[in-house]
């Protein structure tokens, strides 16, 4: 879906922002600007994926080297139910953000805001669940990465030598991911604020769509992190 | 079609019409206003100029540390005992710890603050939109953002430097970088600085890829682009695809130091060689981030100043992309000594592949010179210097890529000489050639040709005296990163140090010519060299919006046989006699 041609030089006064939107002066028309912004966003998403690839490679190598310890640690420290709920929440949010973009294209201003709002709530839910149900209790029990690991074990569970390493990978991967969720929520909030001012509509929804793409990526990365970390072995 | 565009664009710019014909360098008002204007500018030309000055300043800073390193190596440290039995050390100017810091700072500054941003972010920023006939890069605000990210990253690094403590080498290898005592928080600071600088590089790369795809002038097809643009495009792809890996690597290193996450720490179950793999997965492609834009400049220098169509245009263009692709699969040649023989052999074979596109370029430049109307000026001299030094750098790379010889040469001065021949002898020499080539365009002033040629000659001589000796040192067993050596090496080391002073003299001459040109240089014509690419179709310095009208392209960037260059007298640039009908020229 692309935007309409630019040559509608109507008088801006009576129109909303998206109706009178004009490209920046170095572009030839709105369409070029829109496709360029999307190309730029895809490139950026590629860099994000590569940033996480470092974590995935580190995980894969240590998982292969210490398969049994990793499986045991995963079962013991991580509750797959929390992960599964968070996965479901993020999936829902991906759906709602896609709907929001569709709403903008169809000029359904009310539903646009509702869908963005639900997406933000889902993102916040994810973060709160992560902090309250995982990070905080783990921190208190000493189930923290590498050198600061101090969990003594219980109920016959004796931490292996590689538990600190597993937790190191877990904390770093989820924390980098979590910071992306946070940034995503902030960006969605910005979009909601702009939607409130009627910035998005059939002729202009570039930043909304790009934020949506970013949000899908954040979601996608979690889809990989969840089975790798929570469902090992 | 182009005129309609302009009509709408002008109407849109509205009140800005008065800016249209004004040089981009013209101050907007009083001093504060002008400074504010530069600090908030989204004009690619100004951002390019700011990058140029910043990276030249980094070059100066890195150069000072290099001179200090060479100074320490002027004489070996010799310990004798005095009458009371206490050791007296002679020949030592800095203690070894300080020496370690100096070469670390030299390497880190030269790589991350100078050579990586210098050509793409400075000359690329300035020239790319002009060469494409565009008004700006695709994302001007992102461009300014990337400049500020660079500044913040540079401040991080420079603060770490000023406070001392970083002595890990620019490679920050674990476990050494982890063992460096905790109170040396500067190491963490420096890695964060590198992380931040990476984003600046990524944003520049993204911007350029999109610009090349989306902002070419009407009629400018992919194969009508100047080869510099192809090179910048290939570089931008590497910047986008490799830099994030450096980002996560140094981020993990910083987290390792702060939170002891264990991924690279053997005492916590991690693996330091993993760090090396991550690091070189970025840093090998990064050496092509450094050299590819230099190769792009070379095509311009050789083509324009010998007034001949660059031989094998497509081969040169595609070899840029080829180099970019191969650069991602050779990183293992930095770990020949820590991997198994089969993997080593595979990486060795892949490494040889890089030599093919590199050689294609060199041979095509030489073929371009053949029967050209060569103009002996500074850009051409730098072009010729590059052919010589880069060839040595590339060929000695093959010695290092061969498993058996690398076992001997690895971590020796041979490696130091090799990478200086490619980075300094290749990238930096191309940069200085490019600066002279585009200087009249950037600042609207000519420079003093004889003085600049003298500077170039001094740089060339000084460079070879400094670094050619290091090949001998390396083959004889002088290891890199030591502050002292056995006395047999003294003569070679002294020649090398004296060479570094000749280099210094050369750059001081350049500095003087630049300052003289800015203060009292003669006004530059729009097209002093008779170039055909689009940046020569506008005023020198360019007007604020680059072109009066969106240019429409009628001839290729090197069609010197078919076109009289814009703004040039046809008498100065006569076209060759038409061939008798039926004969083909190429
Ligand atoms: C024909 C092309 C090239 C080949 C075959 C090649 C090969 C190699 C090899 C095998 C090494 C590892 C040596 C060792 O540590 O034992 C090396 C090191 C190095 N190369 Fe190249 N190289 C080439 C071009 C370049 C270029 C264009 C640059 C930079 C612009 C460059 C910069 C470096 C640097 C900085 C190092 C040293 C890294 C360190 O600090 O250990 N090389 N090269
Ligand atoms: Cu390499």
């Amino acid at each position: 879906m692309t935007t309409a041609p630019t040559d509608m030089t109507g008088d801006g006064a009576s129109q909303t922002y998206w109706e009178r939107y004009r490209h920046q002066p170095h572009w030839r028309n709105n369409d070029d600007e829109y496709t360029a912004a999307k190309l730029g966003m895809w490139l950026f998403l590629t860099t994000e994926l590569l940033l996480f690839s470092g974590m995935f490679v580190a995980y894969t190598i240590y998982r292969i080297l210490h398969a049994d310890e990793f499986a045991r640690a995963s079962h013991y420290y991580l509750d797959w139910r929390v992960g599964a709920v968070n996965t479901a929440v993020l999936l829902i949010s991906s759906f709602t953000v896609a709907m929001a973009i569709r709403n903008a294209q169809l000029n359904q201003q009310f539903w646009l805001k509702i869908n963005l709002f639900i997406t933000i709530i889902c993102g916040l839910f994810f973060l709160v669940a992560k902090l309250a149900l995982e990070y905080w209790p783990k921190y208190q029990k000493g189930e923290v990465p590498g050198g600061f690991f101090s969990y003594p074990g219980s109920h016959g569970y004796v931490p292996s030598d590689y538990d600190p390493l597993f937790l190191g990978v877990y904390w770093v991967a989820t924390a980098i991911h979590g910071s992306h969720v946070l940034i995503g929520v902030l960006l969605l909030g910005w979009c909601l604020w702009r939607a409130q001012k009627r910035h998005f509509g059939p002729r202009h929804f570039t930043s909304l769509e790009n934020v949506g793409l970013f949000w899908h990526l954040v979601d996608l990365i979690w889809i990989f992190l969840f089975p790798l970390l929570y469902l090992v072995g | 079609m182009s005129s309609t565009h302009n009509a709408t664009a002008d109407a849109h710019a509205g009140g800005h019409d008065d800016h249209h014909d004004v040089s981009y360098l013209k101050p907007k008002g009083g001093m504060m206003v002008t400074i504010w204007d530069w600090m908030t500018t989204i004009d690619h030309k100004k951002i390019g100029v700011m990058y140029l000055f910043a990276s030249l300043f980094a070059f100066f800073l890195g150069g000072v540390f290099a001179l200090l390193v060479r100074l320490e190596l002027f004489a070996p440290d010799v310990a004798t005992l005095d009458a009371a039995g206490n050791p007296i050390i002679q020949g030592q100017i800095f203690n070894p710890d300080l020496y370690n810091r100096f070469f670390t700072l030299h390497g880190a500054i030269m790589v991350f603050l100078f050579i990586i941003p210098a050509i793409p972010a400075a000359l690329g920023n300035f020239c790319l939109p002009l060469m494409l006939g565009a008004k700006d890069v695709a994302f001007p605000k992102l461009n300014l953002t990337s400049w500020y990210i660079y500044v913040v990253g540079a401040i991080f690094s420079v603060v770490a430097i000023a406070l001392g403590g970083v002595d890990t080498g620019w490679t920050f290898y674990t476990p050494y970088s982890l063992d460096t005592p905790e109170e040396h928080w500067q190491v963490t600071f420096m890695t964060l600085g590198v992380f931040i600088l990476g984003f600046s590089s990524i944003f520049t790369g993204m911007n350029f890829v999109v610009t090349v795809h989306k902002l070419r002038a009407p009629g400018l097809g992919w194969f009508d682009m100047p080869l510099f643009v192809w090179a910048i495009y290939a570089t931008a792809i590497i910047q986008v695809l490799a830099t994030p890996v450096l980002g996560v690597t140094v981020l993990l290193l910083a987290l390792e130091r702060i939170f002891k996450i264990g991924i690279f720490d053997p005492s916590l179950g991690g693996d330091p060689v993993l760090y090396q793999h991550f690091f070189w997965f970025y840093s090998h492609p990064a050496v092509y981030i450094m050299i590819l834009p230099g190769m792009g400049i070379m095509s311009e220098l050789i083509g324009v100043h010998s007034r001949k169509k660059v031989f094998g245009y497509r081969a040169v263009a595609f070899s840029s992309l080829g180099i970019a692709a191969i650069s991602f699969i050779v990183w293992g040649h930095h770990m020949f000594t820590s991997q198994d023989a089969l993997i080593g052999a595979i990486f060795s074979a892949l490494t040889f592949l890089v030599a093919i596109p590199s050689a294609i370029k060199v041979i095509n430049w030489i073929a371009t010179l053949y029967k050209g109307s060569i103009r002996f000026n500074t850009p051409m001299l730098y072009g010729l210097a590059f052919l010589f030094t880069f060839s040595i750098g590339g060929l000695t790379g093959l010695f290092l890529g061969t498993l058996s010889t690398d076992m001997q040469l690895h971590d020796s001065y041979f490696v130091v000489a090799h990478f200086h021949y490619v980075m300094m002898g290749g990238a930096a020499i191309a940069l200085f050639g490019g600066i002279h080539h585009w200087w009249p365009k950037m600042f609207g002033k000519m420079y003093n040709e004889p003085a600049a040629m003298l500077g170039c000659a001094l740089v060339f001589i000084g460079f070879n005296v400094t670094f050619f000796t290091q090949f001998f040192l390396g083959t004889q067993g002088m290891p890199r990163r030591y502050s002292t050596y056995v006395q047999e090496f003294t003569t070679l080391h002294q020649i090398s140090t004296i060479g570094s002073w000749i280099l210094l003299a050369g750059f001081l001459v350049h500095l003087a010519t630049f300052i003289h040109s800015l203060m009292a240089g003669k006004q530059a014509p729009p097209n002093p060299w008779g170039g055909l690419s689009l940046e020569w179709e506008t005023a020198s310095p360019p007007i604020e919006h680059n072109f009066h009208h969106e240019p429409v392209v009628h001839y290729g960037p090197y069609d010197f046989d078919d076109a009289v260059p814009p703004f040039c007298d046809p008498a100065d640039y006569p076209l060759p006699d038409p061939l008798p009908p039926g004969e083909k020229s190429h």
Side-chain angles (χ1 to χ4, degrees):
Chain A
M1 168 94 198
T2 52
T3 49
T6 52
D7 301 314
M8 302 165 60
T9 36
D11 60 320
S14 61
Q15 295 175 324
T16 55
Y17 181 93
W18 66 265
E19 282 168 311
R20 62 170 194 269
Y21 179 77
R22 264 206 84 102
H23 54 88
Q24 291 171 299
H26 62 292
W27 290 104
R28 294 189 194 97
N29 51 52
N30 282 8
D31 217 40
D32 277 3
E33 184 183 61
Y34 166 80
T35 49
K38 257 177 84 164
L39 178 59
M41 194 61 197
W42 278 105
L43 286 173
F44 180 69
L45 296 186
T46 315
T47 69
E48 287 282 10
L49 211 58
L50 284 161
L51 190 88
F52 279 97
S53 72
M55 290 312 306
F56 285 119
V57 170
Y59 171 86
T60 310
I61 288 172
Y62 294 128
R63 166 80 193 285
I64 291 171
L65 288 177
H66 315 294
D68 296 340
E69 290 89 342
F70 264 44
R72 208 168 139 257
S74 158
H75 284 303
Y76 186 73
Y77 295 108
L78 301 182
D79 185 346
W80 68 270
R81 287 163 304 187
V82 180
V85 169
N86 263 347
T87 309
V89 166
L90 278 194
L91 280 175
I92 294 170
S93 75
S94 252
F95 175 74
T96 51
V97 83
M99 286 309 292
I101 297 167
R102 191 78 197 127
N103 295 143
Q105 289 168 347
L106 300 176
N107 200 17
Q108 296 160 338
Q109 297 290 339
F110 174 74
W111 287 106
L112 163 62
K113 281 176 275 185
I114 294 290
N115 275 319
L116 274 179
F117 186 71
I118 300 176
T119 315
I120 293 172
I121 294 298
C122 288
L124 289 175
F125 179 91
F126 178 93
L127 286 173
V128 171
K130 187 113 227 131
L131 286 172
L133 300 178
E134 297 198 339
Y135 283 177
W136 181 243
K138 281 200 177 18
Y139 173 72
Q140 285 191 316
K141 285 192 273 178
E143 297 169 359
V144 290
F148 293 109
F149 181 83
S150 61
Y151 183 63
S154 67
H155 306 303
Y157 182 87
V158 185
S160 81
D161 286 350
Y162 296 102
D163 282 15
L165 187 60
F166 175 80
L167 287 170
V169 176
Y170 161 81
W171 275 84
V172 175
T174 54
I176 298 180
H177 176 262
S179 61
H180 279 76
V181 176
L182 184 64
I183 292 169
V185 166
L186 293 175
L187 288 172
L188 288 164
W190 172 67
C191 283
L192 182 59
W193 176 71
R194 289 190 61 184
Q196 177 66 30
K197 293 174 39 171
R198 289 189 165 255
H199 277 197
F200 303 122
R203 279 190 74 237
H204 182 65
F205 47 85
T206 314
S207 22
L208 177 68
E209 186 169 2
N210 282 339
V211 170
L213 284 175
F214 179 77
W215 190 254
H216 290 315
L217 179 91
V218 172
D219 192 7
L220 187 73
I221 286 171
W222 179 256
I223 303 278
F224 281 95
L225 283 179
F226 170 58
L228 289 181
L229 292 171
Y230 290 74
L231 306 178
V232 193
Chain B
M1 150 167 196
S2 83
S3 61
T4 23
H5 281 318
N6 262 294
T8 47
D10 288 350
H12 178 63
H16 298 290
D17 267 37
D18 46 330
H19 288 171
H20 269 211
D21 292 343
V22 175
S23 147
Y24 82 102
L25 288 173
K26 186 164 187 284
K28 288 277 180 329
M31 193 164 82
M32 290 322 280
V33 178
T34 308
I35 292 177
W36 181 249
D37 173 55
W38 276 78
M39 281 171 56
T40 54
T41 184
I42 53 169
D43 179 347
H44 70 98
K45 301 184 285 302
K46 287 183 178 165
I47 295 174
V49 168
M50 293 196 291
Y51 261 120
L52 183 67
F53 284 115
S55 47
L56 287 180
F57 181 70
F59 181 59
F60 164 76
L61 215 61
V64 169
F65 287 115
L67 288 168
L68 292 175
V69 165
R70 280 307 331 157
L71 194 63
E72 165 62 35
L73 292 173
F74 193 76
D77 305 355
V78 184
T80 44
L81 298 184
D82 67 3
N86 299 318
I88 322 171
I89 299 178
Q90 284 174 317
Q92 193 181 63
I93 302 173
F94 314 111
N95 70 38
D97 274 340
L98 207 55
Y99 177 85
N100 289 352
R101 286 178 198 172
F102 284 171
F103 77 68
T104 301
L105 301 173
H106 163 67
I109 293 182
M110 284 300 195
V111 170
F112 296 116
L113 293 180
F114 168 59
I115 202 86
I116 288 182
I119 303 183
L123 293 183
N125 238 327
F126 187 90
C127 295
L128 184 74
L130 287 169
M131 287 180 152
L132 296 175
K135 290 202 190 84
D136 209 322
V137 291
F139 310 120
K141 284 181 206 144
L142 189 67
N143 204 13
L144 182 66
T145 314
S146 101
W147 154 256
Y148 276 107
I149 295 176
Y150 170 79
V151 172
V152 171
I155 289 174
F156 261 74
S157 318
V158 172
V159 165
I161 290 167
L163 298 174
V166 189
D167 62 355
T168 56
W170 74 278
T171 46
F172 306 112
Y173 268 17
T174 53
Y176 186 68
S177 55
L178 298 177
D179 291 346
T180 306
E182 241 168 89
E183 60 276 14
H184 285 186
W185 51 272
Q186 293 93 337
V187 176
T188 315
F189 226 64
M190 184 93 197
T191 47
L192 288 176
V194 171
F195 179 73
I196 297 170
L197 286 168
F199 276 96
S200 150
S201 186
I202 289 175
F203 289 157
T204 304
M206 275 168 51
N207 223 333
F208 288 178
V209 171
V210 179
T211 307
V212 173
H213 275 271
K214 296 283 174 188
L215 279 170
R216 297 193 311 277
L220 191 75
W222 282 85
F223 295 108
D224 304 319
M225 298 192 309
L227 287 163
F228 181 62
V229 175
W230 273 100
I232 289 287
Y233 179 73
T235 310
I237 290 181
I238 309 181
Q239 284 177 298
V240 170
L241 295 185
T243 319
V245 178
L246 175 75
V248 71
T249 309
V250 289
L251 184 65
L252 288 177
L253 185 61
L255 293 175
E256 189 80 65
R257 281 183 64 86
I258 303 171
F259 296 114
K260 301 198 192 328
I261 52 179
I263 290 178
F264 300 137
D265 189 343
S267 66
L268 298 171
D271 185 352
V273 178
L274 185 64
Y275 175 85
Q276 297 187 13
H277 279 284
F278 279 4
F279 183 81
W280 287 111
F281 186 83
Y282 164 76
S283 290
H284 188 82
V287 306
Y288 295 98
I289 296 179
M290 308 172 199
I291 195 71
L292 270 174
M295 293 170 156
I297 292 180
M298 273 299 286
S299 301
E300 301 304 313
L301 300 185
I302 299 284
V304 173
H305 295 281
S306 60
R307 238 155 60 68
K308 231 181 107 215
K309 203 179 182 92
V310 173
F311 187 85
Y313 173 96
R314 285 188 188 221
V316 177
F318 282 126
S319 61
S320 288
L321 296 182
I323 288 177
I326 300 171
S327 74
F328 281 97
I329 50 176
V330 301
W331 79 92
H333 64 213
H334 296 274
M335 282 152 287
F336 281 157
T337 48
S338 58
Q339 66 201 178
D340 84 46
L342 176 64
I343 309 246
I346 293 172
F347 273 123
S348 172
L350 292 171
T351 300
F352 290 150
L353 285 183
V354 192
I356 298 172
S358 310
I360 289 179
K361 284 178 183 278
V362 171
I363 291 166
N364 280 327
W365 293 322
I366 295 174
T368 308
L369 288 171
Y370 179 66
K371 287 194 172 173
S373 344
I374 294 175
R375 180 171 23 208
F376 269 109
N377 56 8
T378 316
M380 176 51 90
L381 269 192
Y382 267 116
L384 298 176
F386 180 101
L387 286 176
F388 184 81
T389 46
F390 176 72
S391 299
I392 295 179
L395 291 173
T396 51
L398 294 175
F399 298 23
L400 296 172
T402 310
L403 273 178
S404 49
T405 40
D406 189 62
M407 290 299 150
Q408 154 85 6
L409 299 172
H410 174 69
D411 259 352
S412 76
Y413 257 71
F414 193 91
V415 175
V416 177
H418 153 70
F419 67 73
H420 283 93
Y421 263 87
V422 272
M423 299 211 289
M424 166 93 212
I429 283 209
L431 170 71
F432 278 91
I435 292 178
H436 285 92
H437 181 69
W438 283 298
W439 183 270
K441 181 59 55 185
M442 292 180 107
F443 300 105
K445 294 285 171 70
M446 297 307 284
Y447 58 85
N448 184 316
E449 196 67 68
M453 284 169 86
L454 172 71
C456 173
L458 285 173
V459 168
F460 180 71
I461 295 168
F463 172 76
N464 283 295
V465 172
T466 310
F467 292 105
F468 206 77
T469 39
Q470 298 183 357
F471 285 121
F472 300 117
L473 282 169
T475 42
Q476 291 170 18
M478 171 76 204
R480 62 191 284 207
R481 295 185 174 172
Y482 279 73
S483 68
T484 184
Y485 46 83
V486 294
Q487 294 192 22
E488 287 81 350
F489 293 146
T490 311
T491 317
L492 285 171
H493 268 300
Q494 288 184 344
I495 297 175
S496 180
T497 301
I498 291 170
S500 71
W501 299 336
I502 306 178
L503 257 177
L504 173 69
F507 284 116
L508 289 179
V509 172
H510 277 331
L511 183 66
T513 20
F514 291 154
I515 294 175
H516 173 263
S517 162
L518 288 179
M519 315 260 294
K522 147 166 147 285
Q523 176 67 37
N527 192 359
W529 316 126
L532 288 176
S533 40
L534 291 176
E535 80 269 31
W536 306 110
E537 280 199 21
T538 181
S540 296
I543 56 174
E544 193 124 308
H545 293 273
N546 291 354
F547 302 97
H548 289 284
H549 298 286
E550 186 172 39
V552 178
V553 180
H554 297 298
Y555 38 76
Y558 310 108
D559 286 345
F560 295 101
D561 290 348
D562 311 319
V564 175
F567 297 110
C568 288
D569 188 343
D572 295 339
Y573 294 92
L575 296 179
D577 292 335
L579 289 169
E583 275 191 42
K584 292 188 84 186
S585 64
H586 301 295

